Amino acid sequence: MSTQRQAYRASILHSLADPAVVGQEDSYQYFEDGILVVENGHIVDIGEAEAVLARQKDNLEITAFQDKLITAGFIDTHIHYPQTGMIASYGEQLLDWLENYTFPEEERFKNPMYALKVARLFFDELARNGTTTALVFGTVHKSSVDVFFEEAEKRNLRMIAGKVLMDRNAPDYLTDTPESGYADSKALIDKWHKRSRLLYAVTPRFAPTSTDEQLAMVGKLLKEYPDVYLHTHLSENKKEIEWVLELFPERESYLDVYDHYGLLHERAVFAHGIHLSDCECQRLAETDSAIAFCPTSNLFLGSGLFNLPKMEAFKIKVGMGTDVGAGTSFSLLQTMSEAYKIMQLQQKKLHPFKSLYLATLGGAHALHLDDKIGNLEVGKEADFVVLDLHATQLMRFRMQQARTLEEKLFVLMSLGSDQAVHQTYIYGDLAYSANADQSRKIAS
Ligand code: GUN
Ligand code: ZN
């Protein structure tokens, strides 16, 4: 970590609050010619260049950018690192996709060397896409999470991850038991939770792959460690929901299965939540649980259209997830673009400031980390991205016609992907630069 005071000059935009709560205009802060000052991994100043230069009297070392926009690092609230190698697998919806593609690939993670290779590639992809924090599934293998955290720690990343718990309805080679799942999770929590910038999530895959005994063990773990996360899937696919109701006939709904075992709380994150009843929404809100909205995955697996306005009406915390490998991109910019289209299919609008919120501060809020990350306020951890508004010929041309900030932002979200990420900074240090990537490509 660089301990010296560093300054970055460009346009700066960051989210301050949920536009659904405070209105579009009060939801962000924008400095046309801004400076961000960083020291010891934290943000120490931000503002219009003139004002910051007047405040920071001693000589600032300034890196200046042309046609760039600095914003907070993106936050991916649901992703599977072991599915990096099977992204874009053809032709199936959720349950067959799991059986035909996902489980065989996840078996390969019994080999820690393979896990390490994928973890490295995964973190490289996150950085290339400007994602600085993610909530991540491992596999059933304890070592898959050790390898993941070791690599994340080397890169100084704020990551949340956990070992998958799965003791039924999966191939033998991928199942644990209530006891072994409990013991492995406990050992991982003791080793990794709150070490460096790392946090642990207890991770039952979804209700169909855990017995009542295992879900009870999950509830017990959460009681023993009240500040760890709960990360699972919920109400993604109609056949999945029917199956849950068959497997747990005594429960009122899919969510009620998790609720029964005490899994709903302020650090619980449920991926998808597409087909939720009003009662389920009510319960998510009451327990301060969060939903990860995963547009590219929902479209790719044909799962359905997420109802964001309903979540807003119930005041449920929502973050964005890529859900790679059911999701088809690591890019939160592309994910926002697909989210917009999902709203269009429901005759709803997704404003670019709301998208920015969901991909940054809203994600941080969903992860209960908005006091540390999610925007560029003084005191926050210095995870930020430098976006290139002219990344492609088409973007450069289109940007010339964009008159307002929101129009520029919308073009960036609609046309941008990894190419639009110029640099990514983790805890104040440069973690990715498109220029270096370009010269590596030319050299090889
Ligand atoms: N439900 C249970 N497991 C999975 C998974 O790996 N991906 C998705 N999208 N849904 C799931
Ligand atoms: Zn998932």
Side-chain angles (χ1 to χ4, degrees):
M1 182 188 51
S2 150
T3 48
Q4 241 192 319
R5 197 163 268 234
Q6 301 282 339
Y8 303 91
R9 184 166 185 170
S11 297
I12 303 176
L13 170 69
H14 67 145
S15 202
L16 296 179
D18 185 351
V21 176
V22 301
Q24 307 298 354
E25 284 313 303
D26 293 329
S27 75
Y28 68 93
Q29 193 173 38
Y30 180 62
F31 306 104
E32 175 82 40
D33 175 18
I35 293 187
L36 181 73
V37 188
V38 168
E39 190 175 30
N40 291 326
H42 288 77
I43 291 157
V44 295
D45 202 352
I46 181 173
E48 281 298 347
E50 218 171 282
V52 174
L53 290 171
R55 276 197 295 269
Q56 304 284 329
K57 300 227 166 29
D58 41 345
N59 284 342
L60 270 185
E61 194 184 308
I62 301 177
T63 308
F65 300 101
Q66 274 288 319
D67 300 318
K68 304 289 186 291
L69 179 71
I70 294 178
T71 194
F74 296 126
I75 297 179
D76 189 336
T77 60
H78 179 69
I79 186 165
H80 301 250
Y81 99 84
Q83 295 176 13
T84 305
M86 42 88 44
I87 187 171
S89 293
Y90 173 77
E92 307 293 1
Q93 298 218 345
L94 177 63
L95 300 177
D96 295 321
W97 174 86
L98 283 173
E99 207 170 299
N100 296 342
Y101 297 118
T102 315
F103 292 155
E105 176 63 14
E106 291 194 6
E107 187 194 8
R108 303 179 73 186
F109 286 73
K110 65 178 186 240
N111 174 359
M113 293 309 292
Y114 184 66
L116 179 60
K117 180 177 149 181
V118 178
R120 285 183 175 152
L121 199 134
F122 175 85
F123 288 127
D124 287 351
E125 279 304 305
L126 291 187
R128 292 184 62 242
N129 283 281
T131 300
T132 49
T133 286
L135 173 59
V136 186
F137 262 63
T139 63
V140 76
H141 314 95
K142 177 169 175 271
S143 58
S144 74
V145 176
D146 275 318
V147 161
F148 178 89
F149 277 141
E150 274 159 26
E151 190 62 26
E153 188 175 43
K154 279 191 195 142
R155 297 177 189 228
N156 230 342
L157 286 161
R158 185 165 278 294
M159 284 287 146
I160 315 171
K163 179 203 111 71
V164 168
L165 299 163
M166 199 158 45
D167 69 342
R168 66 165 165 174
N169 293 324
D172 288 345
Y173 60 75
L174 272 189
T175 49
D176 54 11
T177 66
E179 295 73 25
S180 72
Y182 173 84
D184 286 350
S185 303
K186 202 172 162 62
L188 286 166
I189 294 168
D190 289 337
K191 181 165 177 194
W192 293 109
H193 186 58
K194 294 189 172 169
R195 173 163 150 179
S196 306
R197 302 179 76 202
L198 308 173
L199 297 159
Y200 194 82
V202 180
T203 310
R205 175 166 225 118
F206 66 156
T209 46
S210 286
T211 59
D212 290 272
E213 294 72 39
Q214 183 157 68
L215 292 173
M217 287 294 204
V218 171
K220 182 166 138 71
L221 267 174
L222 295 178
K223 275 216 182 75
E224 288 169 4
Y225 297 92
D227 62 0
V228 302
Y229 291 80
L230 178 280
H231 185 198
T232 189
H233 296 93
L234 168 71
S235 200
E236 175 179 7
N237 167 289
K238 294 250 170 84
K239 283 195 185 143
E240 168 210 19
I241 298 168
E242 275 171 34
W243 193 23
V244 171
L245 297 177
E246 272 165 40
L247 289 167
F248 299 90
E250 64 287 9
R251 304 273 68 93
E252 269 173 28
S253 66
Y254 194 158
L255 187 71
D256 190 43
V257 175
Y258 297 138
D259 202 3
H260 179 75
Y261 292 102
L263 274 48
L264 279 58
H265 67 130
E266 62 188 16
R267 285 188 182 78
V269 181
F270 298 96
H272 308 299
I274 300 171
H275 310 285
L276 295 171
S277 68
D278 287 1
C279 288
E280 290 176 291
C281 288
Q282 183 63 36
R283 210 39 212 141
L284 286 168
E286 277 166 12
T287 55
D288 204 19
S289 302
I291 293 284
F293 172 22
C294 308
T296 73
S297 165
N298 298 165
L299 293 170
F300 185 74
L301 292 181
S303 302
L305 303 178
F306 181 72
N307 191 342
L308 182 62
K310 181 167 172 169
M311 301 299 129
E312 287 177 348
F314 278 94
K315 298 191 167 54
I316 297 168
K317 297 183 296 190
V318 176
M320 288 287 213
T322 61
D323 194 25
V324 164
T328 48
S329 172
F330 280 83
S331 167
L332 262 301
L333 290 171
Q334 280 200 0
T335 304
M336 289 182 242
S337 173
E338 298 308 291
Y340 176 82
K341 295 170 195 169
I342 286 185
M343 292 309 123
Q344 281 283 47
L345 285 167
Q346 301 172 92
Q347 286 72 51
K348 305 266 164 44
K349 287 181 189 168
L350 182 56
H351 193 281
F353 289 135
K354 176 72 184 199
S355 295
L356 177 73
Y357 171 78
L358 289 171
T360 56
L361 189 60
H365 186 51
L367 299 181
H368 213 70
L369 287 172
D370 43 334
D371 60 331
K372 297 187 172 62
I373 54 172
N375 66 12
L376 304 172
E377 282 172 338
V378 169
K380 293 258 176 111
E381 296 170 359
D383 290 346
F384 60 95
V385 282
V386 184
L387 299 173
D388 186 353
L389 299 175
H390 294 177
T392 64
Q393 179 175 272
L394 179 62
M395 283 173 75
R396 180 190 295 272
F397 184 62
R398 176 64 181 87
M399 281 298 175
Q400 285 166 6
Q401 337 268 336
R403 286 174 309 281
T404 61
L405 173 62
E406 61 191 79
E407 198 179 340
K408 280 188 193 162
L409 189 59
F410 187 64
V411 170
L412 176 67
M413 286 166 181
S414 300
L415 301 182
S417 65
D418 55 348
Q419 308 124 304
V421 176
H422 178 66
Q423 292 187 335
T424 303
Y425 288 80
I426 302 288
Y427 214 51
D429 284 336
L430 182 64
Y432 167 77
S433 172
N435 292 345
D437 215 34
Q438 207 54 39
S439 36
R440 238 198 335 270
K441 261 189 222 142
I442 292 163
S444 63

